[in-house]
Amino acid sequence: MAAARRARAGDSRAGFRRAADEQSPAVPQGLIRAARKSGQLNLAGRGLGEVPQHVWRINLDTPEEAHQNLSFGAADRWWEQTDLTKLILASNQLQCLSEDIRLLPALTVLDVHDNQLTSLPSALGQLENLQKLDVSHNKLKSIPEELLQLSHLKSLLLQHNELSHLPDGFGQLVSLEELDLSNNHLTDIPTGFALLINLVRLNLACNQLKNLPADISAMKSLRQLDCTKNYLETVPSELATMASLEQLYLRKNKLRSLPELPSCKLLKELHAGENQIEILNAENLKHLNSLSVLELRDNKIKSVPEEITLLQKLERLDLANNDISRLPYTLGNLSQLKFLALEGNPLRTIRRDLLQKGTQELLKYLRSRIQDDTTSPSEEPPVTAMTLPSESRINTHAITTLKLLEYSEKQAAVIPDDVFDAVRSNPVTSVNFSKNQLPAVPPRIVELKDSVCDVNFGFNKISSVSLELCTLHKLTHLDIRFVMSVGLPFPVSTLVFYLELEHLSVSNFPVMTLYGGEACVQITAHLCLSRTLLLEGNPFRTPRAAILAKGTAAVLEYLRSRIPT
């Protein structure tokens, strides 16, 4: 019993009380008496500026009732009091904790969150039974080395402090299962983290981390890892070996691609929104059979691979605010999907009003279009084991309902005749052959001369702009960005004369002047009917950058002023 221990210790102050402590309204004696019975004392939200001394000495001092009732039949039975195991001091005004905390060696839980602590006492290291320590929402700038002696500590909550570094010996806390370091000023993680093999939940969100140590993969028990809002550009490939991982948060970083996680068979949630991810590969998805939440909003993703349909347990898919122009219709076969966010994407194959009808209506629409998305077997190229799902499809539905002829992102050197044949008598107004390997404008484009007004040849290897384009007399929008050319040859002048273009985009075209020499001035001046002329990303010598920055009207005015009279 605690009373017997006090007698053996010969504490000279045992049996004495401090009058100020006993009379303090902040800590009623009723709470102290109850704490001696239960081993738990809750002093949260009492406006304490310091902890009264008799709280630290609760295990040592003889209680008041011992002097008032010595009957062995008394209900209070004070001599059987329990040592304090749980102390809650949260939401007070404490600026420090006394070293006398060592007088509470039986503590298993200490909660001092939401105070004004700037440091912790070294005596914390003597609380050898401590299992949970919550010092979050304070003003701590460092952690005492002595805290690393707490070998039984399972939960350490340090979030919302001012920590800029951690002790190198952090790995000594081998019993840790939960560690929250979020909302601090950490710039790196000590290598000793690899020793935290029992860690289940690790929160590193809202720090200043630029990378994660590769040996983080040694945490074989880790189920939840939160790295939200840091400065990560990559994650270590070793992360892929963390077989126990169930939740991974990578939001608000600087990632350009998703990590490949072949061994993360148990991963249920992957959050990577608000990054700079441009490509979503099949390799990013095909191993994640347990995934139920995939959040990729506010990135730069341009397409969704057919392999997303392998995620048959997916319940939430957030692709909002990306650059996605079309979806695989087989997405409708995700039977568990309850939430699909697509707003903020330049989708061409799905009407806006359909997006507003909700997930189930959208999935129903996608399922209904699966058959339309494929041509008959006689029109398809032969499918082999090496044929990707996206390579064996012609979107006939887009042709008939959206007047869109699309054969983009196929890495094709030629546009198959089947693509043009699929148009039949349908009047196509838009053509998208971007992101292929086309060396020239397809000659059969002339077959669309009576209807097409929007043509996209961006991201190809076109070396010259052919005269076929000049026959497209309804053309108002031409996109030839990022083509692998050394220059725009003379036929573009003919193109400019013949077409009343409203939008000409030659951004990031590797040319030194727009058409070259004096012809540049003469030809470009005829773009007076153009409403938009995009030229950014070109290494121009003339016009000067200051003129380009003023927009289309200023560039055209400059060019007209250079025409020889």
Side-chain angles (χ1 to χ4, degrees):
M1 292 185 300
R5 284 199 297 276
R6 284 196 299 275
R8 288 196 299 270
D11 184 358
S12 61
R13 291 180 289 181
F16 292 93
R17 304 183 314 276
R18 296 191 177 186
D21 286 352
E22 293 295 329
Q23 298 171 3
S24 172
V27 187
Q29 279 303 304
L31 281 180
I32 298 296
R33 283 195 296 271
R36 287 194 173 105
K37 291 181 180 180
S38 67
Q40 301 181 15
L41 179 57
N42 188 345
L43 299 177
R46 293 185 170 272
L48 297 176
E50 61 180 6
V51 180
Q53 186 66 24
H54 68 277
V55 171
W56 300 129
R57 298 185 56 80
I58 191 171
N59 292 344
L60 301 176
D61 290 345
T62 302
E64 171 66 20
E65 53 268 32
H67 303 287
Q68 297 174 350
N69 191 344
L70 299 177
S71 171
F72 282 92
D76 284 334
R77 300 179 70 88
W78 56 267
W79 59 89
E80 293 182 353
Q81 82 167 48
T82 301
D83 280 353
L84 200 65
T85 59
K86 184 175 182 179
L87 177 59
I88 300 176
L89 298 168
S91 302
N92 283 290
Q93 300 172 21
L94 303 176
Q95 296 184 7
C96 63
L97 294 178
S98 170
E99 294 286 344
D100 285 340
I101 198 171
R102 68 182 185 278
L103 301 177
L104 302 173
L107 278 183
T108 59
V109 176
L110 176 59
D111 184 350
V112 288
H113 83 268
D114 190 21
N115 278 282
Q116 299 176 30
L117 301 176
T118 57
S119 62
L120 296 174
S122 58
L124 271 180
Q126 299 180 38
L127 305 182
E128 59 183 20
N129 293 301
L130 200 63
Q131 296 182 27
K132 180 176 181 178
L133 176 59
D134 187 347
V135 291
S136 63
H137 294 269
N138 279 284
K139 299 179 179 179
L140 300 176
K141 296 183 183 300
S142 62
I143 298 172
E145 295 281 346
E146 290 80 3
L147 185 138
L148 305 180
Q149 300 171 14
L150 302 176
S151 58
H152 294 98
L153 195 64
K154 293 183 177 180
S155 175
L156 178 55
L157 307 180
L158 291 161
Q159 68 267 30
H160 289 276
N161 277 286
E162 299 174 11
L163 301 173
S164 57
H165 67 279
L166 298 173
D168 288 336
F170 216 86
Q172 297 176 41
L173 299 173
V174 292
S175 297
L176 267 188
E177 296 177 2
E178 178 183 29
L179 175 59
D180 195 333
L181 291 162
S182 62
N183 290 278
N184 279 284
H185 307 312
L186 300 175
T187 57
D188 55 36
I189 299 300
T191 54
F193 259 46
L195 301 176
L196 302 178
I197 57 174
N198 293 305
L199 203 62
V200 174
R201 293 177 295 277
L202 174 59
N203 193 342
L204 300 170
C206 302
N207 279 284
Q208 300 170 23
L209 303 173
K210 294 184 177 179
N211 53 67
L212 295 174
D215 56 8
I216 196 173
S217 60
M219 300 179 183
K220 297 302 183 183
S221 302
L222 198 66
R223 295 204 295 265
Q224 183 185 90
L225 175 59
D226 192 343
C227 299
T228 300
K229 202 174 182 181
N230 279 280
Y231 300 110
L232 302 177
E233 295 184 3
T234 61
V235 294
S237 57
E238 289 79 3
L239 197 71
T241 66
M242 301 181 74
S244 297
L245 202 60
E246 295 180 2
Q247 296 176 305
L248 177 58
Y249 296 83
L250 297 169
R251 300 186 75 248
K252 296 186 178 182
N253 280 282
K254 296 183 177 182
L255 300 177
R256 295 188 176 276
S257 62
L258 274 180
E260 294 180 10
L261 304 168
S263 297
C264 299
K265 305 291 187 182
L266 301 179
L267 192 66
K268 294 179 174 63
E269 297 186 23
L270 176 55
H271 301 260
E274 296 188 58
N275 279 281
Q276 300 171 24
I277 298 170
E278 296 184 359
I279 299 176
L280 187 59
N281 289 322
E283 291 297 324
N284 301 132
L285 303 174
K286 67 181 184 180
H287 301 288
L288 305 180
N289 298 328
S290 299
L291 205 64
S292 62
V293 177
L294 178 58
E295 188 265 302
L296 295 169
R297 66 180 298 121
D298 296 287
N299 277 287
K300 300 177 180 179
I301 297 171
K302 294 177 173 58
S303 64
V304 179
E306 294 275 349
E307 285 75 11
I308 198 165
T309 57
L310 297 175
L311 309 182
Q312 284 297 311
K313 294 184 179 180
L314 203 61
E315 297 180 9
R316 294 179 62 87
L317 176 59
D318 193 341
L319 297 169
N321 302 320
N322 277 280
D323 296 328
I324 300 168
S325 59
R326 72 179 300 271
L327 290 174
Y329 291 139
T330 50
L331 192 64
N333 287 333
L334 293 177
S335 59
Q336 302 298 317
L337 198 61
K338 298 179 177 64
F339 175 83
L340 174 60
L342 295 169
E343 65 270 13
N345 283 287
L347 290 168
R348 296 185 177 183
T349 56
I350 300 177
R351 301 188 311 273
R352 183 172 299 179
D353 63 309
L354 186 59
L355 293 176
Q356 296 172 349
K357 291 183 179 180
T359 297
Q360 294 310 312
E361 283 297 315
L362 181 55
L363 294 179
K364 181 179 178 181
Y365 168 82
L366 292 173
R367 283 193 296 271
S368 72
R369 294 295 179 253
I370 290 176
Q371 293 302 318
D372 291 339
D373 197 31
T374 61
T375 59
S376 63
S378 61
E379 293 176 317
E380 283 188 345
V383 178
T384 69
M386 298 301 292
T387 303
L388 295 176
S390 59
E391 289 178 339
S392 62
R393 300 183 182 276
I394 299 173
N395 193 340
T396 56
H397 171 70
I399 294 173
T400 56
T401 62
L402 299 173
K403 303 183 185 338
L404 167 66
L405 179 60
E406 181 170 33
Y407 198 79
S408 62
E409 302 184 61
K410 301 290 194 293
Q411 301 301 307
V414 296
I415 303 298
D417 286 338
D418 290 347
V419 174
F420 288 102
D421 292 343
V423 175
R424 297 186 177 91
S425 60
N426 296 290
V428 168
T429 59
S430 298
V431 173
N432 183 4
F433 292 159
S434 64
K435 297 179 183 174
N436 283 295
Q437 303 288 323
L438 301 179
V441 174
R444 289 189 65 180
I445 195 81
V446 300
E447 297 175 15
L448 310 175
K449 63 181 180 179
D450 294 328
S451 60
V452 72
C453 57
D454 182 337
V455 174
N456 187 349
F457 287 123
F459 301 87
N460 275 284
K461 295 185 176 181
I462 297 173
S463 59
S464 65
V465 180
S466 68
L467 288 172
E468 279 85 355
L469 286 179
C470 298
T471 66
L472 308 181
H473 54 85
K474 291 189 176 181
L475 190 64
T476 58
H477 186 292
L478 175 61
D479 189 338
I480 47 176
R481 293 175 295 163
F482 289 91
V483 296
M484 301 299 291
S485 175
V486 295
L488 284 171
F490 183 74
V492 173
S493 65
T494 310
L495 174 68
V496 171
F497 280 121
Y498 274 82
L499 303 178
E500 297 183 1
L501 286 178
E502 294 180 0
H503 187 110
L504 173 62
S505 179
V506 290
S507 303
N508 292 76
F509 210 93
V511 294
M512 298 305 293
T513 59
L514 188 57
Y515 305 120
E518 197 172 290
C520 167
V521 175
Q522 296 175 348
I523 295 166
T524 310
H526 286 275
L527 281 169
C528 57
L529 294 175
S530 177
R531 296 178 187 174
T532 308
L533 175 61
L534 301 181
L535 299 169
E536 66 269 14
N538 287 291
F540 285 120
R541 295 175 182 169
T542 60
R544 300 189 309 276
I547 295 175
L548 293 175
K550 292 180 180 179
T552 299
V555 173
L556 295 179
E557 179 62 29
Y558 168 81
L559 293 171
R560 281 193 292 269
S561 71
R562 303 285 292 175
I563 297 176
T565 57

